[in-house]
Amino acid sequence: GENVEQHPSTLSVQEGDSAVIKCTYSDSASNYFPWYKQELGKRPQLIIDIRSNVGEKKDQRIAVTLNKTAKHFSLHITETQPEDSAVYFCAASPWGAQKLVFGQGTRLTINP
Amino acid sequence: GAGVSQSPSNKVTEKGKDVELRCDPISGHTALYWYRQSLGQGLEFLIYFQGNSAPDKSGLPSDRFSAERTGGSVSTLTIQRTQQEDSAVYLCASTLGGGEYEQYFGPGTRLTVT
């Protein structure tokens, strides 16, 4: 079955700098890759997603890139702000199934 | 409209007792998922329901765990003979289906087994 690895497990950056979180997946047939943000004590919420027919997607300060050949995808946050501090989860959806396999999460801390 | 709701928000139970956790998905959503999140950990898939198809139970950790979805809407996750390692937040999510993959999560039920 699908397996998703996420790195790093913790990341600390200065406010205003960029943050990058990387994930790899094992099932080459996976076709949907979302990123969820979970603030402390809150539920996970989708922040951006990408499908396998697209290489990059941007939404304001957030971007996701996908390399299907290498089976990895990354989340990029630019001009980080204190409210970006949270746990971020990547996920992959195996082809033919609507379930998501999540990475272990990255705790991002933005230092003022 | 209303989001995914779960009840209870907190449940404390004694080891060996059975518990039932409830999830009300967004109206019209055809797929429903249960996850377990231990403190500081990731989201562990448990089970998912898609329309009238047989549920995917591949993530259930033992036969003490079961779930049902009645009338294609409300779902109940049952844990029998609870153990301390069952303590976690249990999250439910729903998806519209039909090629729409975004999962909308509920607030979770925090289960503590003493």
Side-chain angles (χ1 to χ4, degrees), chain A residues 31-32 34 36 38 41-47 49 51 87 89 93-94 96-105 107, chain B residues 3-4 30-31 33 35 37 40-43 45 48 50 56 58 91 95 97-107:
Chain A
N31 60 356
Y32 174 67
Y36 283 80
Q38 187 176 30
K42 302 280 185 67
R43 71 192 77 184
Q45 291 193 302
L46 180 73
I47 55 170
D49 57 13
R51 295 182 186 262
V87 178
F89 293 98
S93 180
Q98 280 202 280
K99 69 181 184 183
L100 295 176
V101 177
F102 284 88
Q104 286 303 299
R107 182 173 300 279
Chain B
V4 178
T30 63
Y33 308 78
Y35 296 92
Q37 187 172 34
Q41 299 299 308
L43 296 158
F45 166 77
Y48 99 97
Q50 172 61 62
D56 179 341
S58 59
L91 289 161
T95 301
E100 291 297 323
Y101 290 85
E102 179 175 356
Q103 294 191 13
Y104 295 82
F105 283 84

Side-chain angles (χ1 to χ4, degrees), chain A residues 21-106:
Chain A
I21 303 170
K22 299 182 179 181
C23 289
T24 60
Y25 60 99
S26 60
D27 185 349
S28 58
S30 288
N31 60 356
Y32 174 67
F33 307 91
W35 286 88
Y36 283 80
K37 175 183 180 182
Q38 187 176 30
E39 297 178 24
L40 189 61
K42 302 280 185 67
R43 71 192 77 184
Q45 291 193 302
L46 180 73
I47 55 170
I48 195 167
D49 57 13
I50 192 167
R51 295 182 186 262
S52 59
N53 59 346
V54 176
E56 183 176 5
K57 184 176 179 180
K58 286 185 179 180
D59 183 3
Q60 301 183 346
R61 296 184 298 107
I62 293 173
V64 56
T65 58
L66 171 65
N67 183 326
K68 287 192 295 182
T69 302
K71 291 188 286 187
H72 68 69
F73 57 111
S74 301
L75 177 71
H76 304 254
I77 306 174
T78 59
E79 300 171 19
T80 52
Q81 301 169 3
E83 54 265 36
D84 295 330
S85 293
V87 178
Y88 291 80
F89 293 98
C90 64
S93 180
W95 184 85
Q98 280 202 280
K99 69 181 184 183
L100 295 176
V101 177
F102 284 88
Q104 286 303 299
T106 296

Side-chain angles (χ1 to χ4, degrees), chain B residues 11-21 62-66 77-87 90 111-114:
Chain B
K11 176 70 176 179
V12 180
T13 190
E14 291 180 351
K15 177 181 172 181
K17 296 286 177 90
D18 297 352
V19 295
E20 285 190 351
L21 312 180
S62 77
D63 59 8
R64 297 188 295 105
F65 289 73
S66 63
L77 177 70
T78 301
I79 309 173
Q80 296 179 309
R81 305 182 301 282
T82 52
Q83 304 294 313
Q84 288 187 329
E85 60 262 30
D86 299 334
S87 296
Y90 289 82
L111 175 66
T112 303
V113 182
T114 61

Side-chain angles (χ1 to χ4, degrees), chain B residues 4-8 20-26 32-34 68-70 73-77 90-94 104-106 109:
Chain B
V4 178
S5 61
Q6 292 184 245
S7 61
E20 285 190 351
L21 312 180
R22 177 187 168 107
C23 172
D24 282 88
I26 294 173
L32 185 149
Y33 308 78
W34 284 99
E68 62 177 23
R69 188 179 186 194
T70 54
S73 181
V74 172
S75 177
T76 302
L77 177 70
Y90 289 82
L91 289 161
C92 173
S94 69
Y104 295 82
F105 283 84
T109 293

